[in-house]
Amino acid sequence: MKVLVVYYSRTGHTRRLAERLAQAFGDRPRAIRERGSRRGPFGYLRSLVEAVGGREAAIDVTHPSPAGYDLVLIGTPIWGWHLSSPVRAFARCHAKQIRRAAFFCTMGGAGDRQAFAELEQLLGRRAEATLALTEQDVADIDGEGPSGRIAAFLAGLKRPGEPAAEHRRAA
Ligand SMILES: Cc1cc2nc3c(=O)[nH]c(=O)nc-3n(C[C@H](O)[C@H](O)[C@H](O)COP(=O)(O)O)c2cc1C
């Protein structure tokens, strides 16, 4: 199975999780890149306004096309209970090229469900599995709790067609 792990990360948490997930497939993750910087208070504010306002960032297409992959794992930080604007742009741009998708995010503590619902809507398909880790989880990524949740997420991908692991838990 050919798997693409693609992510956007402003401060490194989502990148760290993406690296861990890509490792499981013997690959490296691909970053969604954009021009300009989101550093500092102005970058924070701009990110929040774009995310909540449903705006798309201007991304550079340096990542591979998802068309050649069986499954695409898409990772985003949560911004204002929404998707990050670079990941929204990626989803709008590539929706038709994605056959199977799973989502992951990092966050302070809340907003994952709303963001994942938006991503499903943009892609026009349900996620096969979802994984949301807090910043604290990422800091302890090799710990028992985060490792177990990562393993459950990956196991959910091996059973296409079934509901996602976290959806099953919530049911
Ligand atoms: C503009 C902005 C808005 C944020 N909004 C939320 C939020 O609504 N809920 C939350 O749990 N964390 C929120 N966070 C925290 C990030 O989701 C969290 O730090 C995440 O791990 C950052 O990922 P990154 O390091 O890959 O950029 C926000 C961060 C930023 C920059």
Side-chain angles (χ1 to χ4, degrees):
M1 180 165 70
K2 227 177 142 198
V3 180
L4 173 65
V5 180
V6 67
Y7 71 96
Y8 174 79
S9 183
R10 175 174 171 265
T11 49
H13 298 94
T14 314
R15 183 181 64 237
R16 189 143 179 236
L17 178 54
E19 283 166 354
R20 175 69 182 265
L21 294 172
Q23 238 175 40
F25 299 97
D27 199 3
R28 65 181 174 88
R30 312 302 167 109
I32 297 167
R33 300 200 189 280
E34 60 174 349
R35 262 162 262 155
S37 160
R38 290 182 185 273
R39 284 198 203 133
F42 182 72
Y44 183 100
L45 198 63
R46 181 163 72 89
S47 302
L48 188 61
V49 167
E50 287 179 3
V52 173
R55 296 179 62 181
E56 294 168 37
I59 57 172
D60 283 335
V61 184
T62 56
H63 50 268
S65 162
Y69 292 82
D70 302 307
L71 173 66
V72 184
L73 272 53
I74 305 170
T76 182
I78 301 300
W79 288 351
W81 285 52
H82 283 76
L83 284 182
S84 63
S85 50
V87 171
R88 183 179 289 127
F90 172 88
R92 286 236 172 91
C93 180
H94 294 294
K96 292 203 173 93
Q97 300 165 337
I98 296 175
R99 283 172 284 180
R100 292 174 52 200
F103 308 151
F104 60 97
C105 74
T106 70
M107 59 187 180
D112 52 319
R113 280 171 190 263
Q114 182 173 320
F116 288 157
E118 184 188 344
L119 197 44
E120 286 186 332
Q121 201 169 25
L122 287 172
L123 296 182
R125 66 182 57 250
R126 292 212 62 185
E128 294 194 2
T130 62
L131 175 67
L133 294 191
T134 64
E135 294 164 8
Q136 279 185 328
D137 290 332
V138 175
D140 182 35
I141 202 160
D142 295 320
E144 205 178 315
S147 287
R149 297 188 51 217
I150 290 168
F153 172 73
L154 293 170
L157 302 176
K158 291 188 182 121
R159 295 189 292 273
E162 281 187 11
E166 296 213 341
H167 293 163
R168 278 202 301 274
R169 257 210 299 284

